[in-house]
Amino acid sequence: MCTEREKEYVTKLKSRLAYQMSLKRMRDNYNVVNYALEKGLEEGMEKGMEQGREEKTLEIVKKMKAQGFTTQQIAAITGLSLDEISLL
Protein backbone atom coordinates (compact mmCIF):
# COMPACT_ATOMS: atom_id res chain seq x y z
CA MET A 1 0.00 0.00 0.00
CA CYS A 2 1.25 3.52 -0.83
CA THR A 3 1.82 6.06 1.82
CA GLU A 4 0.38 9.56 1.56
CA ARG A 5 3.84 10.89 0.75
CA GLU A 6 4.28 8.43 -2.11
CA LYS A 7 0.87 9.35 -3.54
CA GLU A 8 1.82 13.02 -3.38
CA TYR A 9 5.12 12.28 -5.14
CA VAL A 10 3.35 10.37 -7.93
CA THR A 11 0.81 13.19 -8.35
CA LYS A 12 3.59 15.78 -8.62
CA LEU A 13 5.48 13.57 -11.04
CA LYS A 14 2.39 13.21 -13.26
CA SER A 15 1.84 16.98 -13.16
CA ARG A 16 5.46 17.66 -14.11
CA LEU A 17 5.26 15.16 -16.97
CA ALA A 18 2.04 16.74 -18.26
CA TYR A 19 3.66 20.19 -18.07
CA GLN A 20 6.75 19.00 -19.96
CA MET A 21 4.57 17.40 -22.64
CA SER A 22 2.60 20.62 -23.05
CA LEU A 23 5.87 22.56 -23.44
CA LYS A 24 7.05 20.11 -26.07
CA ARG A 25 3.76 20.45 -27.97
CA MET A 26 4.02 24.23 -27.80
CA ARG A 27 7.63 24.21 -29.05
CA ASP A 28 6.77 21.78 -31.83
CA ASN A 29 3.88 23.97 -32.98
CA TYR A 30 6.10 27.06 -32.83
CA ASN A 31 8.73 25.33 -34.99
CA VAL A 32 6.15 24.16 -37.52
CA VAL A 33 4.78 27.69 -37.90
CA ASN A 34 8.26 29.22 -38.20
CA TYR A 35 9.29 26.65 -40.81
CA ALA A 36 6.14 27.35 -42.82
CA LEU A 37 6.77 31.10 -42.65
CA GLU A 38 10.38 30.72 -43.76
CA LYS A 39 9.38 28.47 -46.67
CA GLY A 40 6.62 30.88 -47.67
CA LEU A 41 9.01 33.82 -47.62
CA GLU A 42 11.58 31.89 -49.64
CA GLU A 43 9.03 30.92 -52.26
CA GLY A 44 7.66 34.46 -52.39
CA MET A 45 11.14 35.88 -52.88
CA GLU A 46 11.90 33.36 -55.64
CA LYS A 47 8.65 34.17 -57.45
CA GLY A 48 9.29 37.90 -57.11
CA MET A 49 12.84 37.57 -58.44
CA GLU A 50 11.62 35.50 -61.40
CA GLN A 51 8.90 38.02 -62.17
CA GLY A 52 11.47 40.82 -62.02
CA ARG A 53 13.78 38.98 -64.44
CA GLU A 54 10.88 38.43 -66.85
CA GLU A 55 9.90 42.10 -66.71
CA LYS A 56 13.52 43.16 -67.31
CA THR A 57 13.79 40.79 -70.28
CA LEU A 58 10.61 42.23 -71.78
CA GLU A 59 11.96 45.74 -71.29
CA ILE A 60 15.20 44.79 -73.03
CA VAL A 61 13.32 43.16 -75.93
CA LYS A 62 11.25 46.30 -76.42
CA LYS A 63 14.40 48.43 -76.49
CA MET A 64 16.07 46.04 -78.93
CA LYS A 65 13.04 46.22 -81.24
CA ALA A 66 13.14 50.03 -81.05
CA GLN A 67 16.84 49.93 -81.98
CA GLY A 68 16.11 47.84 -85.06
CA PHE A 69 17.29 44.38 -84.00
CA THR A 70 15.71 41.53 -85.96
CA THR A 71 13.50 38.98 -84.24
CA GLN A 72 16.16 36.30 -84.83
CA GLN A 73 18.86 38.48 -83.24
CA ILE A 74 16.64 39.19 -80.23
CA ALA A 75 15.87 35.47 -79.86
CA ALA A 76 19.56 34.57 -80.02
CA ILE A 77 20.50 37.18 -77.40
CA THR A 78 17.60 36.78 -74.95
CA GLY A 79 16.80 33.09 -75.33
CA LEU A 80 13.14 33.85 -75.98
CA SER A 81 11.28 32.04 -78.74
CA LEU A 82 10.30 33.81 -81.94
CA ASP A 83 6.63 33.49 -80.95
CA GLU A 84 7.25 35.13 -77.57
CA ILE A 85 9.07 38.00 -79.22
CA SER A 86 6.39 38.53 -81.86
CA LEU A 87 3.76 38.82 -79.12
CA LEU A 88 5.51 41.83 -77.63
Side-chain angles (χ1 to χ4, degrees):
M1 201 123 164
C2 293
T3 66
E4 193 62 36
R5 187 175 176 138
E6 290 171 332
K7 289 180 184 178
E8 186 179 313
Y9 174 76
V10 169
T11 302
K12 285 183 181 180
L13 194 57
K14 286 181 180 179
S15 292
R16 186 178 304 139
L17 182 60
Y19 173 71
Q20 289 173 347
M21 293 296 289
S22 71
L23 281 179
K24 182 184 180 321
R25 247 187 326 274
M26 183 182 70
R27 289 180 185 131
D28 288 348
N29 288 339
Y30 177 80
N31 288 332
V32 165
V33 169
N34 275 346
Y35 178 78
L37 284 173
E38 287 176 15
K39 277 305 221 186
L41 286 173
E42 271 180 33
E43 290 175 12
M45 289 293 290
E46 288 174 17
K47 287 180 182 177
M49 296 293 287
E50 180 62 31
Q51 184 179 0
R53 283 190 288 272
E54 289 172 5
E55 289 173 2
K56 187 64 177 174
T57 301
L58 295 178
E59 182 183 321
I60 290 169
V61 168
K62 288 177 184 178
K63 287 181 181 179
M64 291 174 80
K65 279 185 166 184
Q67 297 258 336
F69 283 80
T70 67
T71 306
Q72 288 78 13
Q73 289 173 322
I74 296 171
I77 293 168
T78 62
L80 295 175
S81 71
L82 297 175
D83 292 335
E84 289 174 313
I85 296 167
S86 65
L87 291 175
L88 300 176

